[in-house]
Amino acid sequence: MNTTWSRFNIASIVLGFAFLYLPIVLLIIFSFNASKLVTVWGGFSTKWYVSLFQNEALMDAAWVTIRVGVLSATFATILGTMAALALTRYTRFRGRVLFSGMVFAPLVMPEVITGLSLLLLFVAIGLDRGFLTVTLAHITFTMCFVAVVVQSRLVTFDRSLEEAAMDLGATPVRTFFAVTLPVILPAIVSGWMLAFTLSLDDLVIASFASGPGATTLPMKIYSQVRLGVTPEINAACTLLIAIVTVGVIAASIVNKRREVQRKLDEQAAQRG
Amino acid sequence: MADNASASAGPAGNNLISAITSRLVILVPYAWLLFFFLIPFFIVFKISLSSTAISMPPYTPVINGFSDLASKWHTFSFDNYVWLTQDPLYYRAYIRSVVIAAVATFFTLLIGYPIAYGMARAPATLRPTLLMLVILPFWTSFLIRVYAWIGILKPEGLLNQLLMWLNLIDSPLIILNTDWAIYIGIVYSYLPFMVLPLYSALEKMDYTLIEAANDLGCPPLGAFWKITFPLSLPGVVAGCLLVFIPAVGEFVIPDLLGGSETLMIGKTLWNEFNSNRDWPVSSAVAVILLLLLVVPIMFFQQAQAKAQEQGR
């Protein structure tokens, strides 16, 4: 198959990746621009990073965002994993069609609709808008992404392992924690990371669900971007990109190591 | 609630625990989604039938409980929906949103397909890296990626600087604040959503079929349209739905890259809610948008369910 990787294929990949990465690379380069004019190069400088850390409003927003992200991603992972288990393990229960609909629909639901409907719910039940409501909103829309990620791992899971454990007398709960969980853990971890990034990234739903005192970083960035492009925002974006990139690469290395270790263990077990 | 695992578990106590946990595993996320996803839609619908009021919350009637509903239901009206059909602003925004999303989806397919195809034909050792490179931009902020294009597309921006330096144009192209900027924004932001399902469809394909067609004298392009494309159709459908549905209600891209006269429905809803503070009308806008998208969303769900069955 290698011989058929033609020049056309290589060109389309190179061009495609250039298109995907060039804007991000340019943004990073211009965050080190000494000139205040964002698109004119005026020499190298890190002064925007310094002023970024002195910008208290931005720092506060970043702190709120991280707390919302960690909290909502954790709850979303628990709920999403349960939803994935429900969808793959129990093929028959009352209202299953509605359930799977409610899991898949939020993946493509326009954010303005989700945001508006959640806001109206919070108003209807008399919940003051703020940190709690943003977190609840984020749990709701990110848990569905977790469910899909975990589900895709569960469908390829070998059920005979669980049956073996239960034949040997393990309770279902113990079986889950001793057998199922370790196997689907990589999917759960990437589900958590996906939920965290989605929460970190969300502007529209947060804007609807949030109230005074709970301004998230995207809301802050958005309000500044509307006034024009500034090098300080470029610097903030670069930092966010750096954090996410390091996180993703670290996670994939850990995942790979774990996979290699698992294969070695399996081989050892077969030999022994 | 059938639990096939519990059948093999021995003692009765195990069965009880198993039955309870299986119920909990279904009930907890079910209840959560009912309360935070489904019920809110009914509230949106209810408020879309109310009228605007200068109070908090800014609509009337305010219903507290079922007894209230019985006494006030006659004040509900479809006035807001009538209003949406009378003001050309709204139906134009709906039509424009659908057209822009459809055109952008087509462009995304046009650009995404060669990338996915190239990835599927790449040496097997290279594929995981390529896959990660496609997913990585998705992990970086959507808002940031849209924002990055402002600096590129604006009249004194980097694209125009480059084109003028190359002497390809004399005066800057006006791209920012036009529909073209929206197309670029949507294609760029949603490209991974198109490439991933296409890639997984193309990767599974048996490429000896193409070789056979070529051996039998079929030209490469003919073989593509007769074999490759039909076989990748599930990926095409999934990719297009993943791009089209959210793009119709997109807010950030038309707001930051589109001009002030470009009214897409997501932006209209946002303005109606945040600037005009008209909750009933924005609820009506949301209800119509949802009705517009119900069919594609159901298609998407079926495609997902089908893919899940095949994964088993």
Side-chain angles (χ1 to χ4, degrees), chain B residues 14-43:
Chain B
N14 268 4
N15 271 341
L16 188 68
I17 295 171
S18 157
I20 292 171
T21 42
S22 79
R23 254 152 236 248
L24 273 182
V25 159
I26 297 170
L27 269 180
V28 172
Y30 207 135
W32 184 283
L33 286 173
L34 271 182
F35 188 72
F36 286 104
F37 186 71
L38 199 64
I39 291 178
F41 287 138
F42 290 105
I43 299 176

Side-chain angles (χ1 to χ4, degrees), chain A:
Chain A
M1 209 188 274
N2 292 358
T3 51
T4 54
W5 209 38
S6 66
R7 258 184 224 155
F8 173 76
N9 293 151
I10 295 170
S12 55
I13 284 195
V14 170
L15 285 176
F17 283 150
F19 176 63
L20 275 177
Y21 281 93
L22 216 54
I24 300 173
V25 170
L26 287 172
L27 182 106
I28 294 171
I29 293 172
F30 277 88
S31 75
F32 293 104
N33 188 4
S35 161
K36 197 165 172 60
L37 293 166
V38 186
T39 48
V40 181
W41 186 251
F44 181 85
S45 159
T46 51
K47 65 177 171 187
W48 304 115
Y49 288 87
V50 176
S51 76
L52 178 70
F53 282 102
Q54 285 161 354
N55 187 335
E56 260 177 50
L58 217 57
M59 286 292 120
D60 283 348
W63 181 227
V64 170
T65 312
I66 290 169
R67 280 186 305 162
V68 169
V70 170
L71 257 178
S72 65
T74 307
F75 279 101
T77 306
I78 296 168
L79 285 167
T81 307
M82 287 168 104
L85 280 167
L87 278 178
T88 42
R89 291 299 158 83
Y90 309 109
T91 45
R92 230 174 282 187
F93 58 86
R94 227 173 294 145
R96 189 179 186 279
V97 177
L98 176 67
F99 184 59
S100 79
M102 288 193 302
V103 171
F104 290 127
L107 304 180
V108 286
M109 188 60 65
E111 290 167 313
V112 281
I113 297 183
T114 315
L116 177 71
S117 64
L118 278 166
L119 164 74
L120 295 179
L121 171 79
F122 295 140
V123 171
I125 60 175
L127 210 56
D128 277 340
R129 283 189 279 160
F131 185 82
L132 178 66
T133 49
V134 182
T135 311
L136 288 173
H138 280 183
I139 293 172
T140 308
F141 93 97
T142 57
M143 69 172 274
C144 302
F145 287 86
V146 177
V148 170
V149 172
V150 176
Q151 190 201 20
S152 66
R153 184 76 190 87
L154 272 173
V155 288
T156 58
F157 180 76
D158 185 2
R159 289 295 296 272
S160 61
L161 288 174
E162 284 178 347
E163 279 157 25
M166 289 205 270
D167 285 346
L168 292 171
T171 62
V173 177
R174 177 123 187 255
T175 306
F176 176 78
F177 283 104
V179 179
T180 319
L181 192 63
V183 177
I184 62 171
L185 197 62
I188 292 178
V189 170
S190 44
W192 189 91
M193 284 182 55
L194 181 61
F196 181 71
T197 341
L198 286 167
S199 164
L200 215 66
D201 195 20
D202 167 63
L203 165 73
V204 176
I205 294 172
S207 301
F208 276 106
S210 166
T215 308
T216 64
L217 196 57
M219 289 163 70
K220 197 82 205 158
I221 292 178
Y222 174 72
S223 66
Q224 294 209 1
V225 163
R226 296 214 61 179
L227 304 174
V229 181
T230 66
E232 205 176 283
I233 292 295
N234 279 358
C237 295
T238 304
L239 281 182
L240 271 180
I241 292 171
I243 293 166
V244 170
T245 311
V246 169
V248 170
I249 290 172
S252 76
I253 290 171
V254 169
N255 237 343
K256 195 150 221 173
R257 281 230 180 115
R258 200 190 287 268
E259 198 94 315
V260 170
Q261 189 60 45
R262 203 166 56 90
K263 281 206 180 116
L264 287 178
D265 287 349
E266 271 171 22
Q267 280 166 6
Q270 272 163 6
R271 255 187 261 118

